[in-house]
Amino acid sequence: MKSFTYQRVTTALDAAKAADKTPGSKFIAGGTNLLDLMKLQIEKPAHLIDISKTGLNKIELNTDGGLRIGAMVNNTDLASHNVVRRDYGLLARALLSGASGQLRNKATTSGNLLQRTRCPYFYDTNQLCNKRVPGSGCAAIAGFSRQLAIIGSSDHCIATHPSDMAVAMRALDATVETVNVRGEHRKIPIADLYLLPGSTPHLENTLQPGEIITSVLLPPPIGGKQIYQKIRDRASYAFATISVGAIIYPDGSGKLALGGVAAKPWRIEQAEALLPKGSKLVTERLLAGARPTGENQYKIMLVERTIESVIQQAKR
């Protein structure tokens, strides 16, 4: 691990100012992803800004009946919160499927949303990776790609986004609140937070340099039967091969987001209108334009079967 300087701040604005003052800074809270990447020298920050004491660890009801989740709320507290369990069960289920209890105790809301891909070629510094070294190439495309993206990918990257929580947040139409160095606040629909790789896969989200997430807003409870189904190679704390986060209503309509298939939670609202007509038509619309490799072609059928399973669960 390379040497770095360290600073603890007590407000989000101070964090943004510190990042602006020292180029090459990284924010750290739970550190469950960043520290691993630093040990491998994938991330090499010159300066770490500790945001764990910024007071952004509250879960509060909004005046509109929705929920405001502080960026520093850990995954354990969020999954066990009585309002989340009652009104946003999809989110609680996604969190509980995502990691061990020890990791959930440390991992934060904003850190979970912004965690980096688990593509093996990103983690292996002997391999070519445009996310890690822009312009170097993508060894995954001609390599072992069974777990990687089938849609939204490019000739420069086929990595997937690893977050279970982000899939639930996308289905729930969450909004991310931020602040920048000038004290300006911004609300970003989670649909607009993540970027597809295109020719710049190292650019993963729409946050500006130094801009920091302060909270995540959930809309008022939307009812429906909320289901999170995750398919993985082993039952214990593995990243999703594919996952489906769904909210299904009695008439068969609903909302649907996929994980494990793209560089961001994958949702096509037009496909949701087809839910009453069955999983095949939904899948065809959701994955229109898919570009699977020979090794992950199976994910298309797996998506269809998992959506069908979710539809049947909602009828029980």
Side-chain angles (χ1 to χ4, degrees):
M1 186 183 291
K2 293 184 65 175
S3 62
F4 56 88
T5 53
Y6 171 87
Q7 176 184 4
R8 176 175 285 174
V9 296
T10 56
T11 71
L13 180 57
D14 287 343
K17 289 179 177 179
D20 183 67
K21 183 178 179 181
T22 309
S25 297
K26 289 284 183 180
F27 300 125
I28 186 168
T32 58
N33 188 202
L34 178 60
L35 290 178
D36 286 343
L37 295 176
M38 289 174 65
K39 291 173 185 177
L40 294 169
Q41 295 199 28
I42 294 169
E43 292 279 13
K44 304 173 185 178
H47 185 60
L48 284 186
I49 302 166
D50 185 343
I51 57 175
S52 62
K53 304 300 181 183
T54 51
L56 301 174
N57 58 351
K58 298 177 182 178
I59 303 173
E60 302 171 310
L61 289 174
N62 279 334
T63 55
D64 67 355
L67 209 60
R68 172 176 272 104
I69 303 161
M72 295 298 103
V73 173
N74 69 52
N75 289 178
T76 295
D77 289 346
L78 184 56
S80 62
H81 193 274
N82 62 335
V83 175
V84 173
R85 293 175 62 191
R86 184 189 69 208
D87 296 329
Y88 307 97
L90 170 57
L91 177 57
R93 294 181 184 97
L95 285 164
L96 291 173
S97 76
S100 68
Q102 294 93 329
L103 284 172
R104 290 198 302 271
N105 288 341
K106 295 297 292 182
T108 62
T109 298
S110 60
N112 190 311
L113 291 177
L114 298 179
Q115 63 183 297
R116 304 202 69 188
T117 184
R118 266 44 177 206
C119 174
Y121 296 93
F122 174 73
Y123 270 79
D124 186 347
T125 55
N126 293 312
Q127 300 291 335
L128 301 177
C129 175
N130 286 317
K131 272 189 180 295
R132 184 170 17 86
V133 182
S136 63
C138 177
I141 291 175
F144 182 71
S145 57
R146 178 178 174 276
Q147 290 288 89
L148 300 178
I150 59 174
I151 196 162
S153 56
S154 73
D155 293 337
H156 301 271
C157 182
I158 59 171
T160 57
H161 195 276
S163 173
D164 292 287
M165 185 179 77
V167 176
M169 292 290 196
R170 180 68 181 92
L172 290 165
D173 291 310
T175 299
V176 171
E177 291 188 315
T178 70
V179 67
N180 66 17
V181 66
R182 296 177 295 280
E184 299 165 341
H185 295 268
R186 188 158 69 118
K187 291 185 178 181
I188 308 170
I190 198 163
D192 299 330
L193 178 63
Y194 299 108
L195 296 172
L196 291 176
S199 61
T200 55
H202 61 291
L203 302 177
E204 298 176 346
N205 57 67
T206 56
L207 297 177
Q208 300 301 312
E211 188 176 19
I212 183 171
I213 294 175
T214 56
S215 60
V216 177
L217 304 178
L218 293 180
I222 57 178
K225 193 155 189 178
Q226 300 188 19
I227 299 167
Y228 188 74
Q229 185 155 342
K230 180 177 180 178
I231 309 300
R232 44 192 164 178
D233 285 343
R234 65 178 192 273
S236 178
Y237 313 126
F239 292 98
T241 299
I242 70 109
S243 62
V244 175
I247 303 149
I248 308 292
Y249 297 104
D251 65 357
S253 65
K255 300 173 182 286
L256 198 71
L258 302 180
V261 299
K264 64 178 183 178
W266 193 257
R267 182 177 174 195
I268 303 294
E269 281 81 347
Q270 296 90 331
E272 295 166 0
L274 300 171
L275 272 168
K277 298 182 179 181
S279 57
K280 183 175 179 60
L281 290 176
V282 174
T283 302
E284 288 175 354
R285 181 65 187 88
L286 269 173
L287 299 182
R291 303 197 316 167
T293 67
E295 289 188 346
N296 63 22
Q297 175 78 31
Y298 76 96
K299 284 194 177 188
I300 294 177
M301 179 62 74
L302 188 57
V303 166
E304 181 183 339
R305 290 178 175 176
T306 307
I307 291 173
E308 182 61 30
S309 174
V310 166
I311 292 171
Q312 294 306 316
Q313 289 178 59
K315 294 176 179 178
R316 295 172 190 165

